[in-house]
Amino acid sequence: MNTAALVKRQRRPVTYSLPQPEYANKHVGGVNAVDLGGEGSDSIFTGGRDGTVRMWDLSAGMPACARRFEGHGGWVNDVARVSSTHLASASSDHTVRLWDISEGSMSSSCAVALQGHTDYVMALACASERLEGKFASGGLNREIFLWDIERCLAINAAPSYLSVKNDGCVTALGGSKESIYALGMDGTGNLLVSGGTELALRVWDTRSAQKEGKLKGHTDNVRAIVVDTDGKKCVTASSDRTIRVWDIGEQRCVQTFAGMHTGSIWALACNRDFTRVYSGGIDARICVTSLRDRKSSLVANESAAILKLRLDESTRASGFAAHSSDGDLWTATASRSIKRWPTIIPGEDGSSANVEDSHGTPTSTSFSLPSMEIIGVSPIVRHSVLKNKMEVLTQDSMGAIALWDVSRSTPIRTFDGVTDGSDFEILLENESLNPDVVVPSWFTCNTRSGSLAITLSPSSAFNAEAYASDLGIADAAPDERRNLGVEIIRLLMDEWVEKFTSSKPPRSTKRAFAEPLPSECAVSFAHPIDDSGRVCVKIREDFSGTPTERELLPKWFADHALNQAPEPESPKISFRLAPRAGSGLAEISPASVSAPKILGAQKIREYIAQKLDETDGGTSTDASALALWCAGQPVPSSATLAAALARVWKKSPPIELEYSN
């Protein structure tokens, strides 16, 4: 590894998650994708903004999370059952992953992570007849890749987090001029249609990896594509609020439908006969449009923007008595739920369904209630780091407020807003909850996954320290200090260090945080080899303490975990001491001092008392009787040097402090 690469590897930030208590059995926040479990299967697969892929067992009538697939370091934007044994997932972490879903397999480990994309992966497509062999992925930065499933599984034999781009199982489809948001394949997988911000759709022959045509007509981003089984037609949806039907061979639009939706259309599903299309989008409406008689009707109103639709025709019914139906329609939305809606073909259920033509706004409702709902956990949508730089106040989408300690995986306190009248801003101003202390920032946090994630960077992770006694370490020396960044790294990594060294970590002192974070906590960082995507692992479960893992981790992080890096120096501030005019007290020597930022006023008074006693030949000075002044203002007993600098001095050090009795 050359010097530049080594330096880059050394400085990769590390993020660890504090998943919510219900994380194991539920998605957190919005669900971006849904796909069916297959013929005769009582299951579905979903991909969420919490970075997980989940398999749901529906056989008991009440959905249950049967398996949770983890490894992505960003939102899961699409999922597709690409073969009878494997599910693919596309993520904002720049990777596509394959998961083993074969009957009898209970493994939730990623079979292989497919590298190649350099930006968010937004869409997947496989043969609509679910033929084995290949599938496609598309994303930002104009990228479309065609993957050979068997080769990918055979070539990438290393653990998924070590996988790198391998040209032996991927073919790039070059020529797109803009980002890709949607893909669609025919029944054989030989024809692929792509669309996105370029507006024009491109048609590809996957056998030759060449462009076969271009479809022009949409005036805004193309968000969804469905190709019929024989590859002669496709239906597309766009942010221009229209649905278009295309003759692929003639490369022209043969039908345009508008007026069903009041905003961007993001999701489509067609019945097997390609006679009806179901649509959903930002307006949360589900509509059905007949391609034969050009009639549309409102199916139902969802609770949030619809991101994906999947039609399960295994429950399809026909005939008046059976209430003619295309089956069940699954919706993935920006809210925290997945719903199954039974479809009833408008005008064929014995009712007088009120429909409009394609140029009028549909007003009828063919059905209105979902037959099943999988409810997730409310995502955290707001957060604020408290002044002590150890606790974070959060609020979820339902308004619930919680207080988190960055060293724990569960909230240390919750506020219901009723018994304690809590409000987010009021709590932040509460002196007892958020005392006015000055501690340097040493981490950043985000809630993009719906849970709290803490990021440590080598440039700032070691900025803050605390007295060991304040961290609850028993029998600590009065002046013993601990670096908060180092303590957190060891909290995350002590079990791995024990495996790596085949012994207990060599620690001469007690840990500030005795309990390690639970196995649900994932650690993620940029891939060390080609910087394409992120490595996301559960250290306690996925790592076994090998030298390869040592090389995979960011060097600065691993060095501190293994106690192979120098202890960070205490952040210090210089100050000068002088007697206050009229106090009658003597000058002390040395008067210019440099001390840790966390040094408190009481310890400064004790230092002054000691020096005064030495000056006066052994007299006893009562430190508690001394007063400190800074810029003409009294310094409270609870203040630290950092607080005096930030709150009173407000200039470059050294701070000038005066003492009096």
Side-chain angles (χ1 to χ4, degrees), residues 567-611:
E567 288 291 322
E569 292 185 7
S570 294
K572 292 184 177 181
I573 298 177
S574 58
F575 61 97
R576 286 195 296 262
L577 295 167
R580 186 169 174 79
S583 67
L585 295 176
E587 294 185 357
I588 63 174
S589 180
S592 294
V593 184
S594 180
K597 287 184 176 182
I598 63 170
L599 188 69
Q602 178 58 32
K603 290 188 178 294
I604 297 174
R605 288 199 298 261
E606 291 172 359
Y607 172 79
I608 296 170
Q610 177 188 345
K611 292 300 179 181

Side-chain angles (χ1 to χ4, degrees), residues 166-400:
N166 194 312
D167 293 332
C169 68
V170 61
T171 301
L173 303 184
S176 292
K177 295 182 179 179
E178 299 289 346
S179 293
I180 304 300
Y181 285 165
L183 297 171
M185 263 188 180
D186 68 351
T188 63
N190 294 329
L191 181 139
L192 176 72
V193 180
S194 65
T197 57
E198 187 180 353
L199 310 187
L201 296 106
R202 294 181 181 268
V203 181
W204 309 82
D205 185 328
T206 62
R207 294 163 295 187
S208 63
Q210 298 297 314
K211 288 180 289 185
E212 294 292 311
K214 184 185 289 187
L215 309 176
K216 296 183 178 180
H218 280 299
T219 59
D220 207 335
N221 298 339
V222 177
R223 303 305 298 256
I225 301 172
V226 180
V227 181
D228 70 350
T229 301
D230 58 15
K232 293 181 178 180
K233 291 183 178 181
C234 71
V235 179
T236 60
S238 168
S239 294
D240 65 12
R241 306 183 186 183
T242 68
I243 294 172
R244 291 176 181 262
V245 182
W246 306 83
D247 186 306
I248 295 176
E250 296 183 5
Q251 298 187 30
R252 67 185 182 92
C253 177
V254 295
Q255 288 180 300
T256 300
F257 298 91
M260 302 83 67
H261 294 277
T262 60
S264 298
I265 307 172
W266 288 348
L268 291 175
C270 291
N271 65 350
R272 69 178 68 171
D273 302 321
F274 226 67
T275 57
R276 279 179 295 278
V277 57
Y278 295 85
S279 57
I282 197 171
D283 61 3
R285 288 182 167 194
I286 304 173
C287 296
V288 59
T289 300
S290 170
L291 303 183
R292 288 175 174 170
D293 58 20
R294 298 178 59 83
K295 297 289 182 70
S296 299
S297 65
L298 178 65
V299 169
N301 283 304
E302 258 285 6
S303 57
I306 298 166
L307 306 176
K308 198 74 68 176
L309 294 172
R310 283 291 182 267
L311 186 61
D312 180 4
E313 294 193 271
S314 64
T315 57
R316 179 174 177 164
S318 61
F320 175 81
H323 297 290
S324 298
S325 163
D326 281 328
D328 291 329
L329 191 68
W330 286 95
T331 58
T333 72
S335 73
R336 57 191 181 99
S337 69
I338 309 123
K339 295 176 184 174
R340 181 175 68 187
W341 305 82
T343 64
I344 300 175
I345 300 172
E348 298 183 26
D349 63 346
S351 66
S352 55
N354 178 21
V355 295
E356 298 286 346
D357 63 25
S358 62
H359 300 289
T361 301
T363 57
S364 66
T365 302
S366 304
F367 52 87
S368 57
L369 296 175
S371 60
M372 182 176 288
E373 182 176 11
I374 304 172
I375 301 175
V377 181
S378 298
I380 296 172
V381 296
R382 188 181 188 186
H383 68 274
S384 182
V385 180
L386 299 194
K387 295 173 185 176
N388 62 15
K389 300 301 189 293
M390 275 296 295
E391 296 171 338
V392 182
L393 194 68
T394 65
Q395 188 169 33
D396 68 22
S397 60
M398 299 298 289

Side-chain angles (χ1 to χ4, degrees), residues 78 126 318 457 486 490:
D78 204 1
C126 60
S318 61
S457 172
V486 172
R490 291 172 179 169

Side-chain angles (χ1 to χ4, degrees), residues 30-80:
V31 180
N32 290 336
V34 59
D35 202 8
L36 307 177
E39 194 72 30
S41 172
D42 285 322
S43 62
I44 62 168
F45 298 95
T46 57
R49 295 181 178 181
D50 58 7
T52 68
V53 176
R54 295 172 188 260
M55 174 181 176
W56 301 90
D57 182 0
L58 314 176
S59 60
M62 292 294 291
C65 183
R67 293 168 68 182
R68 185 176 80 234
F69 304 95
E70 296 177 281
H72 279 302
W75 286 10
V76 178
N77 298 316
D78 204 1
V79 295

